[in-house]
Amino acid sequence: MAVQIAVCGPGECSPREERWARQVGRLLAERGAVVLCGGYGGVMAAAAAGARAAGGTVVGLLSGADRQGACPDLTVVVPTGLGQARNAVLVNSADAVIVVGGSWGTLSELAHAMRRGTPVVALGGWRVIDAAGGPVPGVRHAATPAEAVESAWPAA
Amino acid sequence: MAVQIAVCGPGECSPREERWARQVGRLLAERGAVVLCGGYGGVMAAAAAGARAAGGTVVGLLSGADRQGACPDLTVVVPTGLGQARNAVLVNSADAVIVVGGSWGTLSELAHAMRRGTPVVALGGWRVIDAAGGPVPGVRHAATPAEAVESAWPAA
Amino acid sequence: MAVQIAVCGPGECSPREERWARQVGRLLAERGAVVLCGGYGGVMAAAAAGARAAGGTVVGLLSGADRQGACPDLTVVVPTGLGQARNAVLVNSADAVIVVGGSWGTLSELAHAMRRGTPVVALGGWRVIDAAGGPVPGVRHAATPAEAVESAWPAA
Amino acid sequence: MAVQIAVCGPGECSPREERWARQVGRLLAERGAVVLCGGYGGVMAAAAAGARAAGGTVVGLLSGADRQGACPDLTVVVPTGLGQARNAVLVNSADAVIVVGGSWGTLSELAHAMRRGTPVVALGGWRVIDAAGGPVPGVRHAATPAEAVESAWPAA
């Protein structure tokens, strides 16, 4: 079975985040991964577009119960109807999670992944510090889409 | 986006149900549908095998939170971690549901689909009667896999 | 911890079903059970009203993500935001399920409960028959609310 | 209907966090709130114990599908069977969320609440900073259990 990697990020994002997400999607697809995402706009749509352009398989797990608002580049659409609980399902489906940019919804996905022990690689976005102000360890940070994909890829 | 059709049925099934499910999977894939199923054994595994053999895309939505027990012929595996609540997610993802054989889990999927207004086509399996003993209308019945696929296919 | 019993039934029901549901709710509360229901109208609202009138605790597990449409007699409201997947959660929470009347949503709850091995007692409503036309065994049938509550109550 | 407030925090916590959680639970119950929690150990168990000791109603929404591991002081137990997706359900049910201490699961609850627009009050625990190192605004911080309850309580 193919490697499955989720690309998570805000539905509204900066041009740089959109470019990053598209590149991440493309690189994942070129390497043979199934790309998973939340299936709506912003980072999700860009990751889907990048993967689709490279001939990849893209699965969008929507929070809604129908396809309304789904981005156009999905191979398979799963309208979970679960609301934000779908974030946990998305993470459960991924061998690794690449986070592009920051939002509360994105942070919930990062947190679910860390809770589960799924590798998380962040390109920009928010960071978590403990009560003493030190970084909470665990999330891998990448500077480029290529570095993010390399870091997220499961060891053979 | 491709037509998405769920094939639902028991994890333990008769040889005839297995044959039917395999043919349904194959016919759906040949016609270009993405096949969705619960991702485990019996009818689910047979539908996946039929679709995969025809070069189709098969998505298994598992009740469990990891891939344990997943059937081998899935293109994409979604370990929802939702338990039996995944049956509602599976149904939400389908343009139509083809039911092969009967079990309580299968009946919950049929009922979720009817509740939602998603077309349901049954090949064998259980039937529902009202308090007066008459059939509760709505489920379409088919005698062969070809008839089931024809009946389930969305009008253009 | 108190016995927890779910009362399931259609959001639109007959006067007799409403009367039955109210009596079931009242009898359960008098006996000390926490009453669980789907939290909307019809059988759900009637069961809640009966239990509340008897001083009981009533928990409504809504499909929606907020309290809109919730019936007035809930002690606790859980807007799951899961859509119909909440039916599985409702059943998971119950030591036994009492079904009053028939609908596809109600049938999904009955099926989830039977799948899980949770006792189900039906007052009227739909029945399930197998491919040969015989009854699928397992659901207990009651003729009165008192009989339903007696049958659903867990053995000490 | 009563105010419903969720108390979220790690299953393994420090003695100070346990003391805080117990006081939060007690103060909420004394003020008439229904206390919601994840239903297991640590902060969850302490909040339940505090609320129960004050005669309050406590609802535990478990990730598991049965009561195994549930803390003893629950009035109602909802074994959702949803895994970590239950964190979104817990948050949906709350008028406000009080977070005591930090963990990835706790952070997912904080993030789901912020995403939804539900007020979040933190007693200690982790903080979120943006890419520039500045605090991401929105979470209210409290220094004592009394301050947390006061801050979380909905305006009349």
Side-chain angles (χ1 to χ4, degrees), chain A residues 1-4 34 36 57 59 61 65-67 70-72 74-82 85 88-89 92-95 116, chain B residues 1-4 34 36 57 59 61 65-67 70-72 74-82 85 88-89 92-95 116:
Chain A
M1 197 167 296
V3 167
Q4 299 188 169
V34 169
L36 311 169
T57 297
V59 182
L61 290 142
D66 56 39
R67 298 182 184 189
C71 59
L74 303 175
T75 319
V76 176
V77 57
V78 177
T80 65
L82 299 170
V89 173
N92 281 347
S93 304
D95 296 308
R116 180 178 164 79
Chain B
M1 195 168 294
V3 167
Q4 300 188 168
V34 168
L36 310 169
T57 297
V59 182
L61 290 142
D66 57 39
R67 299 183 183 187
C71 59
L74 304 175
T75 319
V76 178
V77 58
V78 178
T80 66
L82 299 170
V89 174
N92 281 347
S93 304
D95 296 307
R116 179 179 165 79

Side-chain angles (χ1 to χ4, degrees), chain B residues 106-120:
Chain B
T106 306
L107 186 69
S108 76
E109 292 166 321
L110 180 153
H112 279 300
M114 292 301 298
R115 166 72 171 74
R116 179 179 165 79
T118 300
V120 175

Side-chain angles (χ1 to χ4, degrees), chain B:
Chain B
M1 195 168 294
V3 167
Q4 300 188 168
I5 296 187
V7 184
C8 298
E12 297 186 12
C13 67
S14 71
R16 190 175 69 161
E17 289 162 352
E18 193 175 338
R19 212 162 50 236
W20 276 349
R22 184 181 296 263
Q23 289 174 10
V24 165
R26 181 173 57 76
L27 292 168
L28 288 171
E30 286 175 357
R31 206 156 163 171
V34 168
V35 173
L36 310 169
C37 70
Y40 292 115
V43 162
M44 304 172 256
R52 195 62 172 279
T57 297
V58 191
V59 182
L61 290 142
L62 309 180
S63 53
D66 57 39
R67 299 183 183 187
Q68 201 183 340
C71 59
D73 292 303
L74 304 175
T75 319
V76 178
V77 58
V78 178
T80 66
L82 299 170
Q84 292 305 303
R86 80 82 145 76
N87 296 3
V89 174
L90 175 55
V91 159
N92 281 347
S93 304
D95 296 307
V97 174
I98 297 177
V99 169
V100 180
S103 71
W104 290 113
T106 306
L107 186 69
S108 76
E109 292 166 321
L110 180 153
H112 279 300
M114 292 301 298
R115 166 72 171 74
R116 179 179 165 79
T118 300
V120 175
V121 183
L123 261 172
W126 296 356
R127 300 191 177 212
V128 184
I129 57 176
D130 63 23
V136 177
V139 175
R140 307 170 190 176
H141 292 276
T144 66
E147 202 182 308
V149 169
E150 182 60 37
S151 174
W153 202 264

